[in-house]
């Protein structure tokens, strides 16, 4: 589904990713781990199309399409969706309005008409309940005055409504208490299916107790230094990252 | 484009100065006492009105145009302007929509203006373009039953001279400023409203419905009086882009609220802003002031300013009555080469008076705008309170926004709060929306409309919907 080959990315002339390779197939859940500054968030930002990242080499293919040739909104409509580490506040714009605009944009790209209002309301109510969010959140401005946990739940709510093919979650566990973590994890787990993939960026093993990955990758110094199954995450938790670094240098 | 050619023709004629004798309906360019006498005579005004105009004219002669505003425009030749012309004859106007600038029609379509109204707005000579005759009749009957007077200022001067004489110029004196003095000397059109004691006007009053409003005057004069415990909501302008061959507009609006009265005045201004280089756009120099004369009275200004090449406008409140309330809610949008210097004045004179200022400025393209606001608390205004919030949003990196707040506090028991922010339309907000699949232009309009929400919610419902559509059209093509 997603194929990243020999990806080199610089930010303000500083090399961040230095030849990253990654293949994610439909039905799989991947976790990217690694020390601070290794380029974990850069990877998801580049795939989503954020400004300020220069791809100097390499390719990103999503279902055979050249992602780097697509506009930001085209990527999202094609089913590549990024859940933000720090979701931004948009004063005066209702949460429900953003959801509807996003859903209709994706539908239009698929050649479908706008979703009928009753159907939309039913969908949104159901998904809000799943994320244990009161429907009053829908009428509030996007992320404005939301707590850290509420923002993260709101990100997953958007995923549940938009049903992406590849969901990228950037440190979705940061700032969550145990209860919120459970709700978020349940939301993410409900997205798991044979025709969908999930790519998680995280610092901590504890998220992976709730969302079990098929593959774990360690990102060190702009490259994937080691890949394994979920046991690798446990090993990292116990031993830290230094041994991976040493291994990869050696 | 047909209408641009038309404008050019009109201007060429002005340059040559076509000579017309006094019997005709147009005076040659230039201003002197005989021109003022001509206007007064055409309007069949009483002698006192003529003298009032002449007094204003004589004061004006000694005045100079204000130069403090953050605006840049060439000096205006006041002797090159024709100060009276009768409405265009049908044969001089476009004969059908085919003769109208297609770009203008496209905009009407985007704004969702009904077909039959588009013709009227574009100035097409069609008989009964509005089927408004019946609408207007029911409208007039309803107002008459309630005892509300709503007519043109000229009609009011003839029919209700006592009322006009009692209030005209008591809020904006003839010599208040250069443009107000000019207006006082030569005004030819405008509205008059009187709501009697205890009456809540049964409908929102709009210039749009006033007969003969089609030819909006270059120098409009509006006077609204709300008697004790009376209430009125007045809507000025419309969202459709209005073209006018008169480049200079200098209107005066006076509001008087007596005890416990409430006047809500909403404006959507969308004069022609000029072409890409700002050529041909309207210069809008307006004096708007409300006088909360009675205790517990309230005046609320809400404005959405999107048009004009130059806007110079400060709707203000004089809070004379005890516990009176003044409000100013404003959205000003500039794009292309537009310039706007706008804001408000809140003059607290009475005890426990309160005022609120919410100003939202949006600058795009190569435009420039300034918020200029004065909060003045007089020595007797015990317990006066003001809250000011003014936010600016910049789109792109070639525009500018400036804030000039002035405070004069003469009483130590007053509370004055001021908050101001300037932000570039956040790349992060834009990215967030686009990463949800929303295209850039829709995302900008979403963010900008959200930014303006506090003001839009003060507008009457219908106006608010139109204002949002208008905002989108105005900012079209401002990104990317």
């Amino acid at each position: 589904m997603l194929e990243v080959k020999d990806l080199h990315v610089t930010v303000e002339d500083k090399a961040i990713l230095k030849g990253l390779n990654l293949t994610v197939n439909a039905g799989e859940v991947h976790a990217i781990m690694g020390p601070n500054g290794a380029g974990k968030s850069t990877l998801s930002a580049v795939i989503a199309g954020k400004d300020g990242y220069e791809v100097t080499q390499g390719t990103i293919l999503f279902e055979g399409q050249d992602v780097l040739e697509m506009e930001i909104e085209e990527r999202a409509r094609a089913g590549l969706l990024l859940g933000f580490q720090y979701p931004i506040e948009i004063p005066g714009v209702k949460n429900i309005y953003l959801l509807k605009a996003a859903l209709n944009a994706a539908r239009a790209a698929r050649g479908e008409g706008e979703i009928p209002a009753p159907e939309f309301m039913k969908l949104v109510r159901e998904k809000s309940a799943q994320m244990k969010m009161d429907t009053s959140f829908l009428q509030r401005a996007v992320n404005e005055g939301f707590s850290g946990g509420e923002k993260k739940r709101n990100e997953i709510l958007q995923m549940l409504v938009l049903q992406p093919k590849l969901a990228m979650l950037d440190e979705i566990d940061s700032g969550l208490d145990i209860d919120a973590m459970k709700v978020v994890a349940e939301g993410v787990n409900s997205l798991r299916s044979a025709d969908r993939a999930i790519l998680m960026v995280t610092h901590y093993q504890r998220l992976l107790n709730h969302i079990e990955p098929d593959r774990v990758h360690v990102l060190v110094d702009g490259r994937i230094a080691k890949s394994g199954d979920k046991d690798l995450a446990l090993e990292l938790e116990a031993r830290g990252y230094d041994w991976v670094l040493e291994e990869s240098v050696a | 484009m047909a209408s641009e050619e038309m404008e050019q023709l009109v201007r060429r004629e002005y340059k040559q100065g076509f000579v017309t004798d006094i019997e005709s309906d147009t005076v040659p360019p230039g201003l002197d006492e005989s021109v003022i006498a001509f206007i007064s005579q055409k309007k069949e005004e009483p002698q006192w009105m003529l003298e009032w105009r002449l007094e204003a004219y004589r004061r004006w002669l000694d005045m100079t145009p204000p130069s403090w505003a953050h605006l840049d425009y060439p000096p205006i030749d006041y002797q090159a302007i024709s100060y009276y012309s009768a409405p265009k004859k049908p044969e001089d106007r476009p004969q059908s929509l085919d003769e109208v600038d297609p770009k203008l029609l496209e905009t009407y379509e985007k704004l969702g203006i009904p077909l039959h109204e588009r013709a009227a707005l574009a100035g097409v000579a069609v008989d009964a373009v509005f089927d408004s005759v019946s609408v207007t009749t029911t409208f007039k009957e309803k107002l008459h039953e309630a005892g509300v007077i709503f007519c043109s200022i000229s009609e009011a001067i003839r029919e209700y001279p006592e009322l006009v004489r009692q209030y005209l110029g008591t809020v904006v004196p003839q010599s208040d400023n250069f443009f107000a003095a000019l207006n006082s000397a030569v005004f030819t059109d405008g509205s008059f409203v009187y709501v009697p004691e205890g009456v809540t006007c049964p409908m929102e009053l709009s210039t749009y419905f006033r007969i003969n409003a089609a030819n909006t005057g270059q120098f409009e004069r509006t006077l609204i009086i709300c008697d004790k415990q009376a209430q009125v909501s007045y809507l000025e302008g419309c969202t459709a882009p209005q073209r006018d061959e008169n480049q200079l507009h200098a209107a005066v609006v006076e509001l008087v609220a007596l005890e416990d009265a409430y006047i809500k005045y909403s404006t959507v201004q969308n004069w022609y802003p000029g072409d890409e280089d700002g050529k041909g756009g309207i210069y809008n120099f307006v004096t708007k002031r409300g006088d909360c004369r009675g205790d517990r009275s309230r005046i609320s200004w809400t404005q959405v300013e999107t048009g004009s090449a130059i806007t110079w406008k400060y709707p203000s409140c004089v809070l004379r009555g005890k516990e009176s309330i003044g409000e100013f809610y404003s959205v000003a949008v500039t794009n292309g080469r537009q310039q706007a210097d706008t804001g408000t004045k809140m003059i607290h004179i009475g005890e426990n008076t309160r005022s609120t200022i919410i100003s939202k400025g949006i600058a795009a393209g190569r435009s420039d705008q300034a918020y200029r606001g004065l909060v003045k608390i007089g020595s007797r205004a015990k317990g006066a309170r003001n809250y000011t919030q003014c936010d600016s949003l910049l789109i792109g990196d070639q525009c500018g926004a400036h804030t000039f707040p002035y405070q004069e506090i003469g009483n130590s028991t007053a509370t004055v709060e001021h908050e101001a922010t300037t932000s570039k339309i956040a790349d992060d907000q834009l990215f967030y929306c686009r990463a949800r699949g929303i295209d850039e232009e829709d995302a900008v309009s979403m963010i900008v409309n959200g930014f303006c929400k506090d003001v839009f919610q003060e507008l009457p419902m219908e106006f608010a919907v139109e204002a949002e559509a208008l905002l989108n059209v105005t900012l079209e093509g401002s990104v990317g």
Side-chain angles (χ1 to χ4, degrees):
Chain A
M1 179 178 278
L2 179 76
E3 217 169 326
V4 181
K5 272 191 187 156
D6 191 31
L7 188 66
H8 288 70
V9 175
T10 59
V11 178
E12 288 168 355
D13 293 328
K14 189 171 178 270
I16 305 290
L17 296 184
K18 306 165 185 171
L20 185 140
N21 293 292
L22 176 69
T23 302
V24 178
N25 297 312
E28 294 177 348
V29 175
H30 288 234
I32 309 261
M33 302 182 77
N36 283 329
K40 299 191 300 294
S41 293
T42 298
L43 176 63
S44 55
V46 167
I47 296 172
K50 195 170 169 44
D51 273 350
Y53 296 85
E54 198 192 341
V55 177
T56 52
Q57 203 178 315
T59 54
I60 304 173
L61 294 181
F62 176 65
E63 295 192 312
Q65 283 177 276
D66 184 354
V67 171
L68 297 174
E69 287 298 306
M70 295 160 81
E71 292 287 340
I72 300 164
E73 49 268 41
E74 286 172 351
R75 301 179 195 194
R77 290 173 199 162
L80 252 173
L81 220 57
L82 173 64
F84 286 69
Q85 181 180 7
Y86 302 110
I88 191 118
E89 301 187 356
I90 311 178
V93 176
K94 280 185 188 177
N95 220 2
I96 192 165
Y97 185 71
L98 179 85
L99 272 175
K100 196 172 183 184
L103 183 59
N104 281 330
R107 287 173 68 109
R110 291 196 296 264
E112 296 167 23
E114 290 194 0
I115 186 168
E119 197 181 311
F120 176 69
M121 285 313 296
K122 188 167 167 277
L123 175 72
V124 175
R125 282 211 188 95
E126 189 187 302
K127 302 299 185 189
S128 298
Q130 193 185 334
M131 290 314 292
K132 304 214 165 29
M133 289 172 78
D134 191 89
T135 46
S136 64
F137 275 100
L138 298 170
Q139 301 301 327
R140 286 170 56 180
V142 177
N143 294 318
E144 199 181 37
F146 287 24
S147 71
E150 286 163 351
K151 284 183 182 172
K152 294 297 173 70
R153 276 192 275 165
N154 201 37
E155 291 295 291
I156 304 302
L157 171 66
Q158 292 178 2
M159 297 269 173
L160 295 179
V161 170
L162 298 173
Q163 296 281 315
K165 289 179 185 158
L166 175 67
M168 296 185 289
L169 307 172
D170 189 8
E171 308 218 3
I172 198 72
D173 51 334
S174 67
L176 292 185
D177 60 31
I178 289 296
D179 292 334
M181 167 96 85
K182 274 187 185 153
V183 175
V184 164
E186 278 167 25
V188 174
N189 282 327
S190 77
L191 282 168
R192 296 181 92 130
S193 79
D195 51 8
R196 182 176 294 128
I198 296 169
L199 181 63
M200 295 184 290
V201 169
T202 182
H203 266 294
Y204 303 107
Q205 146 68 18
R206 67 169 191 170
L207 176 71
L208 307 183
N209 291 334
H210 300 279
I211 308 168
E212 195 173 288
D214 300 298
R215 300 289 292 160
V216 173
H217 310 278
V218 186
L219 183 54
V220 178
D221 193 27
R223 257 177 243 130
I224 293 199
K226 195 171 179 62
S227 298
D229 60 11
K230 63 179 163 52
D231 294 337
L232 176 59
L234 292 169
E235 200 174 351
L236 290 169
E237 177 85 351
R239 298 175 60 188
Y241 291 112
D242 287 348
W243 64 276
V244 183
L245 204 65
E246 284 157 21
E247 221 173 62
S248 73
V249 171
Chain B
M1 273 162 250
S3 60
E4 271 178 23
E5 281 164 22
M6 199 174 73
E7 279 184 42
Q8 277 168 6
L9 270 175
V10 170
R11 268 193 222 116
R12 200 173 310 142
E13 275 183 306
Y14 277 163
K15 215 178 280 174
Q16 289 159 354
F18 55 106
V19 186
T20 320
D21 62 273
I22 207 78
E23 294 306 310
S24 91
D25 277 343
T26 305
V27 286
L31 185 56
D32 57 26
E33 297 202 358
S34 74
V35 169
I36 293 166
F38 172 84
I39 292 170
S40 191
Q41 190 193 329
K42 275 282 171 196
K43 295 281 173 187
E44 297 166 41
E45 289 174 355
Q47 186 63 26
W48 63 265
M49 194 65 239
L50 172 62
E51 278 160 19
W52 195 87
R53 286 176 181 276
L54 289 173
E55 201 184 313
Y57 173 66
R58 288 167 199 149
R59 304 291 287 270
W60 178 74
L61 286 175
D62 291 332
M63 298 170 89
T64 47
S67 57
W68 42 262
H70 191 82
L71 299 170
D72 180 24
Y73 59 95
I76 298 165
D77 181 358
Y78 294 92
Q79 294 303 332
I81 296 168
S82 172
Y83 288 86
Y84 182 87
S85 63
K88 270 191 189 174
K89 289 192 200 108
E91 57 268 30
D92 294 337
R93 301 165 69 174
Q95 296 303 305
S96 75
L97 279 175
D98 300 340
E99 294 176 33
V100 175
D101 183 354
K103 257 193 171 165
L104 192 64
L105 295 178
E106 207 179 289
T107 312
Y108 289 162
E109 177 139 10
K110 282 179 194 156
L111 288 168
I113 292 162
L115 205 59
H116 63 277
E117 289 181 22
R118 289 180 207 170
L121 290 166
V124 174
V126 181
D127 289 329
V129 250
F130 286 105
D131 67 30
S132 66
V133 179
S134 58
V135 176
T136 313
T137 313
T138 9
F139 184 73
K140 284 230 150 178
E141 274 169 14
K142 254 182 139 175
L143 288 178
H144 185 74
E145 272 170 37
V148 175
I149 301 169
F150 179 35
C151 61
S152 78
I153 191 87
S154 304
E155 196 181 332
I157 291 165
R158 291 191 303 268
E159 306 292 324
Y160 312 99
E162 312 77 28
L163 273 175
V164 175
R165 216 173 164 176
Q166 189 184 343
Y167 290 102
L168 188 73
T170 62
V171 186
V172 179
Q174 286 143 297
S175 57
D176 186 82
N177 66 69
F178 183 83
F179 297 108
L182 179 63
N183 173 288
S184 300
V186 301
F187 72 87
T188 47
D189 203 348
S191 300
F192 176 81
V193 177
Y194 174 77
V195 188
E197 187 170 339
V199 171
T200 296
C201 187
M203 63 191 67
E204 273 161 350
L205 298 182
S206 163
T207 39
Y208 202 58
F209 281 115
R210 210 190 65 222
I211 300 182
N212 298 331
N215 276 280
T216 325
Q218 191 177 6
F219 300 100
E220 270 193 284
R221 184 98 196 180
T222 295
L223 176 59
I224 298 176
I225 303 138
C226 231
D227 216 321
K228 293 173 186 168
Q229 291 113 39
Q231 290 193 19
V232 69
S233 168
Y234 187 89
L235 314 181
E236 179 202 27
C238 66
T239 50
Q242 288 172 288
R243 275 174 177 267
D244 194 319
E245 57 269 30
N246 299 315
Q247 195 174 29
L248 173 69
H249 281 244
V252 171
V253 176
E254 296 181 278
L255 311 181
V256 181
L258 301 184
E259 270 170 46
D260 299 293
Y262 174 30
I263 302 175
K264 183 178 172 65
Y265 193 105
S266 313
T267 309
V268 172
Q269 182 271 113
N270 190 19
W271 291 108
Y272 182 55
D275 63 14
E276 283 89 357
D277 298 320
K279 277 193 192 131
I282 304 282
Y283 293 180
N284 198 24
F285 296 92
V286 192
T287 307
K288 288 181 163 176
R289 197 173 303 152
D291 189 356
C292 283
R293 209 165 280 185
D295 293 349
R296 296 168 304 278
S297 58
R298 177 178 169 199
I299 288 177
S300 177
W301 297 101
T302 308
Q303 61 171 22
V304 178
E305 298 283 324
T306 66
S308 298
I310 288 178
T311 303
W312 179 95
K313 182 179 174 186
Y314 318 90
S316 306
C317 295
V318 181
L319 303 169
R320 215 180 291 277
K322 282 180 195 163
E323 291 166 45
S324 60
I325 298 173
E327 293 161 311
F328 175 74
Y329 303 99
S330 169
V331 167
V333 191
T334 50
N335 198 354
R337 285 279 189 176
Q338 286 177 276
Q339 304 175 59
D341 192 302
T342 183
T344 185
K345 286 188 276 185
M346 292 290 173
I347 315 292
H348 293 254
I349 296 171
E351 288 176 16
N352 297 314
T353 45
R354 280 184 288 152
S355 62
T356 304
I357 299 170
I358 310 272
S359 164
K360 305 274 184 179
I362 299 150
R366 286 179 292 174
S367 67
D368 208 5
Q369 64 169 273
Y371 165 81
R372 190 182 301 278
L374 168 68
V375 176
K376 185 173 180 175
I377 313 273
S379 58
R380 282 173 298 145
K382 266 189 280 179
R385 301 175 73 92
N386 163 266
Y387 173 74
T388 299
Q389 183 193 334
C390 72
D391 302 322
S392 310
L393 189 66
L394 306 177
I395 302 176
D397 50 15
Q398 289 185 291
C399 51
H402 317 269
T403 304
F404 304 101
Y406 306 86
Q407 294 178 344
E408 294 173 25
I409 318 293
N411 188 300
S412 59
T413 62
T415 315
V416 177
E417 287 174 74
H418 182 93
E419 287 179 28
T421 65
T422 299
S423 48
K424 250 191 87 150
I425 192 157
D427 287 341
D428 287 345
Q429 290 179 335
L430 215 50
F431 177 60
Y432 189 84
C433 293
R434 293 179 70 193
R436 295 289 169 263
I438 297 162
D439 72 43
E440 193 170 14
E441 209 148 85
D442 290 347
V444 167
S445 112
M446 201 185 257
I447 294 164
V448 169
N449 274 298
F451 175 76
C452 299
K453 205 101 207 170
D454 296 347
V455 173
F456 283 173
Q457 67 193 14
E458 296 296 328
L459 285 171
M461 185 59 192
E462 264 184 52
F463 241 32
V465 174
E466 288 181 35
E468 281 187 30
L470 176 61
L471 211 62
N472 297 346
V473 172
T474 309
L475 291 175
E476 217 165 64
S478 61
V479 286

